[in-house]
Amino acid sequence: MIQVIDVHDLDVLSASSIVRQAIDTIGQKILIIIHGYGSTTNQYKKLTQIRSIGKSRVKKGQIEVSISGPDLNDPFQRAHFSIEELGKLSSYITNSGVTIIKKKSYHTQK
């Protein structure tokens, strides 16, 4: 499942808080955070803050991947997603104004 969170019109602190909370409750969803391209000072601060949060959570092992839309063109990054997930994410491949976050998948046996 994909959850889209649009923080484009929010200030940096509000956007950061929403992103942190969404990551904490991510479950098996893929988060798409729409924050803008960084064309204004506020958007650039928001972009760098959200990407920094994602990278930090990857280092801590809380999530598997935090990438921008164009990073989906990299085969190494594509390997983190199933064929079905890539199909759903295809519209974001050219959009550098988004961050895509995914938690590690654990396959449970039934």
Side-chain angles (χ1 to χ4, degrees):
M1 184 164 106
I2 293 178
Q3 179 181 357
V4 177
I5 300 171
D6 188 348
V7 296
H8 188 268
D9 294 328
L10 299 177
D11 63 277
V12 176
L13 292 176
S14 298
S16 298
S17 176
I18 288 170
V19 168
R20 284 186 181 99
Q21 182 179 10
I23 291 172
D24 289 340
T25 60
I26 191 171
Q28 293 303 312
K29 296 178 290 232
I30 295 174
L31 297 178
I32 308 283
I33 295 131
I34 301 172
H35 46 66
Y37 296 96
S39 58
T40 66
T41 302
N42 186 47
Q43 283 183 357
Y44 183 74
K45 286 180 183 177
K46 203 175 344 179
L47 179 148
T48 56
Q49 180 66 21
I50 289 169
R51 298 244 168 100
S52 175
I53 292 168
K55 287 177 185 176
S56 171
R57 299 293 178 100
V58 169
K59 285 181 184 177
K60 291 178 182 177
Q62 292 176 320
I63 58 175
E64 179 178 2
V65 65
S66 176
I67 58 173
S68 70
D71 288 339
L72 284 172
N73 290 314
D74 178 354
F76 178 75
Q77 298 299 343
R78 292 176 73 85
H80 293 284
F81 301 93
S82 70
I83 299 295
E84 295 81 20
E85 291 170 338
L86 288 170
K88 293 176 183 177
L89 295 172
S90 63
S91 62
Y92 299 101
I93 288 178
T94 59
N95 190 344
S96 61
V98 301
T99 296
I100 300 167
I101 296 175
K102 180 181 178 188
K103 191 172 185 173
K104 292 185 179 186
S105 296
Y106 297 102
H107 302 289
T108 58
Q109 295 180 353
K110 292 183 179 180

Short mmCIF file of all heavy atoms in Angstrom, two decimals, residues 8-41:
data_model
loop_
_atom_site.label_atom_id
_atom_site.label_comp_id
_atom_site.label_asym_id
_atom_site.label_seq_id
_atom_site.Cartn_x
_atom_site.Cartn_y
_atom_site.Cartn_z
N HIS A 8 3.85 20.08 1.03
CA HIS A 8 4.33 21.15 0.15
C HIS A 8 4.03 22.54 0.71
O HIS A 8 4.87 23.43 0.64
CB HIS A 8 3.70 20.99 -1.23
CG HIS A 8 4.24 21.90 -2.26
ND1 HIS A 8 3.68 23.12 -2.52
CD2 HIS A 8 5.32 21.79 -3.07
CE1 HIS A 8 4.38 23.72 -3.47
NE2 HIS A 8 5.37 22.93 -3.82
N ASP A 9 2.84 22.73 1.26
CA ASP A 9 2.43 24.05 1.73
C ASP A 9 2.66 24.29 3.22
O ASP A 9 2.24 25.31 3.75
CB ASP A 9 0.95 24.28 1.41
CG ASP A 9 0.70 24.34 -0.09
OD1 ASP A 9 1.60 24.81 -0.82
OD2 ASP A 9 -0.38 23.92 -0.53
N LEU A 10 3.33 23.35 3.89
CA LEU A 10 3.58 23.49 5.33
C LEU A 10 4.95 24.08 5.60
O LEU A 10 5.85 23.99 4.76
CB LEU A 10 3.48 22.12 6.01
CG LEU A 10 2.14 21.40 5.92
CD1 LEU A 10 2.24 20.03 6.58
CD2 LEU A 10 1.04 22.22 6.56
N ASP A 11 5.13 24.64 6.79
CA ASP A 11 6.44 25.12 7.19
C ASP A 11 7.34 23.93 7.51
O ASP A 11 6.87 22.79 7.65
CB ASP A 11 6.34 26.08 8.38
CG ASP A 11 5.78 25.39 9.61
OD1 ASP A 11 4.54 25.28 9.73
OD2 ASP A 11 6.59 24.94 10.44
N VAL A 12 8.63 24.18 7.65
CA VAL A 12 9.62 23.12 7.84
C VAL A 12 9.35 22.31 9.10
O VAL A 12 9.38 21.08 9.08
CB VAL A 12 11.05 23.70 7.85
CG1 VAL A 12 12.07 22.62 8.13
CG2 VAL A 12 11.36 24.38 6.54
N LEU A 13 9.07 22.98 10.21
CA LEU A 13 8.87 22.27 11.48
C LEU A 13 7.63 21.38 11.45
O LEU A 13 7.66 20.23 11.90
CB LEU A 13 8.78 23.26 12.64
CG LEU A 13 10.07 24.02 12.97
CD1 LEU A 13 9.83 25.04 14.08
CD2 LEU A 13 11.16 23.05 13.37
N SER A 14 6.53 21.90 10.91
CA SER A 14 5.30 21.10 10.81
C SER A 14 5.51 19.91 9.89
O SER A 14 5.10 18.78 10.21
CB SER A 14 4.14 21.95 10.29
OG SER A 14 3.86 23.00 11.18
N ALA A 15 6.14 20.14 8.76
CA ALA A 15 6.39 19.07 7.79
C ALA A 15 7.28 17.99 8.42
O ALA A 15 7.00 16.80 8.28
CB ALA A 15 7.04 19.63 6.53
N SER A 16 8.32 18.40 9.12
CA SER A 16 9.24 17.45 9.76
C SER A 16 8.51 16.60 10.79
O SER A 16 8.72 15.39 10.89
CB SER A 16 10.40 18.18 10.42
OG SER A 16 11.14 18.88 9.46
N SER A 17 7.66 17.23 11.57
CA SER A 17 6.90 16.51 12.59
C SER A 17 5.97 15.48 11.96
O SER A 17 5.90 14.33 12.43
CB SER A 17 6.09 17.51 13.42
OG SER A 17 5.28 16.85 14.34
N ILE A 18 5.29 15.85 10.90
CA ILE A 18 4.38 14.93 10.22
C ILE A 18 5.15 13.76 9.62
O ILE A 18 4.72 12.60 9.71
CB ILE A 18 3.57 15.68 9.14
CG1 ILE A 18 2.54 16.59 9.82
CG2 ILE A 18 2.90 14.71 8.17
CD1 ILE A 18 1.86 17.56 8.88
N VAL A 19 6.31 14.03 9.03
CA VAL A 19 7.12 12.97 8.42
C VAL A 19 7.63 12.02 9.48
O VAL A 19 7.57 10.80 9.31
CB VAL A 19 8.28 13.58 7.60
CG1 VAL A 19 9.29 12.52 7.20
CG2 VAL A 19 7.73 14.29 6.37
N ARG A 20 8.12 12.53 10.60
CA ARG A 20 8.60 11.66 11.68
C ARG A 20 7.49 10.75 12.19
O ARG A 20 7.68 9.56 12.41
CB ARG A 20 9.17 12.50 12.82
CG ARG A 20 10.53 13.06 12.53
CD ARG A 20 11.11 13.77 13.77
NE ARG A 20 12.40 14.31 13.47
CZ ARG A 20 12.63 15.59 13.16
NH1 ARG A 20 11.63 16.46 13.15
NH2 ARG A 20 13.85 16.01 12.89
N GLN A 21 6.30 11.33 12.39
CA GLN A 21 5.17 10.55 12.88
C GLN A 21 4.76 9.49 11.86
O GLN A 21 4.47 8.34 12.23
CB GLN A 21 3.99 11.47 13.17
CG GLN A 21 2.78 10.75 13.73
CD GLN A 21 1.63 11.68 14.01
OE1 GLN A 21 1.64 12.85 13.63
NE2 GLN A 21 0.62 11.18 14.68
N ALA A 22 4.77 9.83 10.58
CA ALA A 22 4.40 8.88 9.54
C ALA A 22 5.40 7.72 9.48
O ALA A 22 5.01 6.57 9.30
CB ALA A 22 4.32 9.58 8.18
N ILE A 23 6.68 8.02 9.65
CA ILE A 23 7.70 6.97 9.63
C ILE A 23 7.52 6.05 10.84
O ILE A 23 7.65 4.83 10.72
CB ILE A 23 9.12 7.57 9.60
CG1 ILE A 23 9.38 8.23 8.24
CG2 ILE A 23 10.18 6.49 9.88
CD1 ILE A 23 10.68 9.01 8.17
N ASP A 24 7.19 6.62 11.98
CA ASP A 24 6.99 5.80 13.18
C ASP A 24 5.81 4.85 13.06
O ASP A 24 5.77 3.82 13.71
CB ASP A 24 6.81 6.69 14.41
CG ASP A 24 8.09 7.40 14.82
OD1 ASP A 24 9.19 6.93 14.42
OD2 ASP A 24 8.01 8.43 15.53
N THR A 25 4.84 5.20 12.22
CA THR A 25 3.64 4.37 12.06
C THR A 25 3.54 3.78 10.65
O THR A 25 2.45 3.44 10.19
CB THR A 25 2.37 5.21 12.35
OG1 THR A 25 2.31 6.31 11.43
CG2 THR A 25 2.36 5.71 13.77
N ILE A 26 4.67 3.62 9.98
CA ILE A 26 4.70 3.23 8.58
C ILE A 26 4.12 1.85 8.31
O ILE A 26 3.48 1.63 7.30
CB ILE A 26 6.14 3.34 8.01
CG1 ILE A 26 6.14 3.21 6.49
CG2 ILE A 26 7.06 2.34 8.65
CD1 ILE A 26 7.49 3.53 5.85
N GLY A 27 4.32 0.90 9.20
CA GLY A 27 3.85 -0.45 8.94
C GLY A 27 4.47 -1.00 7.67
O GLY A 27 5.67 -0.87 7.46
N GLN A 28 3.67 -1.59 6.80
CA GLN A 28 4.18 -2.13 5.54
C GLN A 28 3.90 -1.20 4.36
O GLN A 28 4.02 -1.59 3.22
CB GLN A 28 3.57 -3.51 5.28
CG GLN A 28 4.02 -4.55 6.27
CD GLN A 28 5.53 -4.71 6.31
OE1 GLN A 28 6.19 -4.83 5.29
NE2 GLN A 28 6.09 -4.69 7.51
N LYS A 29 3.52 0.03 4.65
CA LYS A 29 3.23 0.99 3.59
C LYS A 29 4.51 1.56 3.00
O LYS A 29 5.56 1.54 3.62
CB LYS A 29 2.39 2.16 4.14
CG LYS A 29 1.03 1.80 4.64
CD LYS A 29 0.33 3.01 5.17
CE LYS A 29 0.96 3.48 6.44
NZ LYS A 29 0.14 3.68 7.57
N ILE A 30 4.38 2.10 1.82
CA ILE A 30 5.43 2.91 1.22
C ILE A 30 4.94 4.35 1.34
O ILE A 30 3.81 4.66 0.97
CB ILE A 30 5.64 2.55 -0.26
CG1 ILE A 30 6.16 1.13 -0.39
CG2 ILE A 30 6.61 3.55 -0.91
CD1 ILE A 30 6.26 0.64 -1.81
N LEU A 31 5.77 5.20 1.90
CA LEU A 31 5.40 6.61 2.04
C LEU A 31 5.93 7.41 0.87
O LEU A 31 7.10 7.28 0.51
CB LEU A 31 5.97 7.19 3.33
CG LEU A 31 5.49 6.61 4.65
CD1 LEU A 31 6.21 7.29 5.80
CD2 LEU A 31 3.99 6.77 4.80
N ILE A 32 5.09 8.24 0.29
CA ILE A 32 5.49 9.21 -0.72
C ILE A 32 5.28 10.57 -0.08
O ILE A 32 4.15 10.95 0.22
CB ILE A 32 4.62 9.12 -1.99
CG1 ILE A 32 4.54 7.72 -2.53
CG2 ILE A 32 5.07 10.14 -3.02
CD1 ILE A 32 5.74 7.26 -3.28
N ILE A 33 6.36 11.29 0.16
CA ILE A 33 6.26 12.61 0.77
C ILE A 33 6.48 13.65 -0.31
O ILE A 33 7.55 13.69 -0.93
CB ILE A 33 7.26 12.78 1.93
CG1 ILE A 33 6.88 11.81 3.04
CG2 ILE A 33 7.22 14.19 2.48
CD1 ILE A 33 7.99 11.02 3.56
N ILE A 34 5.47 14.46 -0.54
CA ILE A 34 5.56 15.51 -1.54
C ILE A 34 5.96 16.78 -0.82
O ILE A 34 5.23 17.31 0.01
CB ILE A 34 4.21 15.71 -2.27
CG1 ILE A 34 3.81 14.40 -2.95
CG2 ILE A 34 4.29 16.86 -3.26
CD1 ILE A 34 2.42 14.40 -3.53
N HIS A 35 7.17 17.27 -1.13
CA HIS A 35 7.68 18.45 -0.43
C HIS A 35 8.09 19.58 -1.36
O HIS A 35 8.39 20.67 -0.90
CB HIS A 35 8.86 18.08 0.48
CG HIS A 35 9.87 17.20 -0.18
ND1 HIS A 35 10.65 17.60 -1.23
CD2 HIS A 35 10.20 15.92 0.09
CE1 HIS A 35 11.43 16.59 -1.59
NE2 HIS A 35 11.17 15.55 -0.80
N GLY A 36 8.14 19.36 -2.62
CA GLY A 36 8.53 20.41 -3.57
C GLY A 36 9.98 20.25 -3.99
O GLY A 36 10.75 19.49 -3.40
N TYR A 37 10.34 20.99 -5.01
CA TYR A 37 11.64 20.84 -5.65
C TYR A 37 12.77 21.60 -4.97
O TYR A 37 13.92 21.42 -5.29
CB TYR A 37 11.57 21.34 -7.10
CG TYR A 37 10.64 20.54 -7.94
CD1 TYR A 37 9.34 20.95 -8.16
CD2 TYR A 37 11.07 19.36 -8.52
CE1 TYR A 37 8.49 20.20 -8.94
CE2 TYR A 37 10.22 18.60 -9.30
CZ TYR A 37 8.93 19.03 -9.51
OH TYR A 37 8.10 18.28 -10.28
N GLY A 38 12.45 22.50 -4.07
CA GLY A 38 13.48 23.31 -3.44
C GLY A 38 13.71 24.62 -4.17
O GLY A 38 14.77 25.22 -4.07
N SER A 39 12.69 25.07 -4.90
CA SER A 39 12.84 26.30 -5.68
C SER A 39 12.79 27.56 -4.82
O SER A 39 13.27 28.61 -5.22
CB SER A 39 11.76 26.38 -6.77
OG SER A 39 10.47 26.32 -6.18
N THR A 40 12.22 27.47 -3.62
CA THR A 40 12.24 28.59 -2.69
C THR A 40 13.08 28.18 -1.47
O THR A 40 13.36 27.00 -1.27
CB THR A 40 10.82 28.96 -2.21
OG1 THR A 40 10.30 27.87 -1.44
CG2 THR A 40 9.89 29.26 -3.38
N THR A 41 13.44 29.14 -0.67
CA THR A 41 14.25 28.85 0.52
C THR A 41 13.53 27.88 1.45
O THR A 41 14.12 26.93 1.94
CB THR A 41 14.57 30.16 1.27
OG1 THR A 41 15.26 31.03 0.38
CG2 THR A 41 15.43 29.90 2.48
#
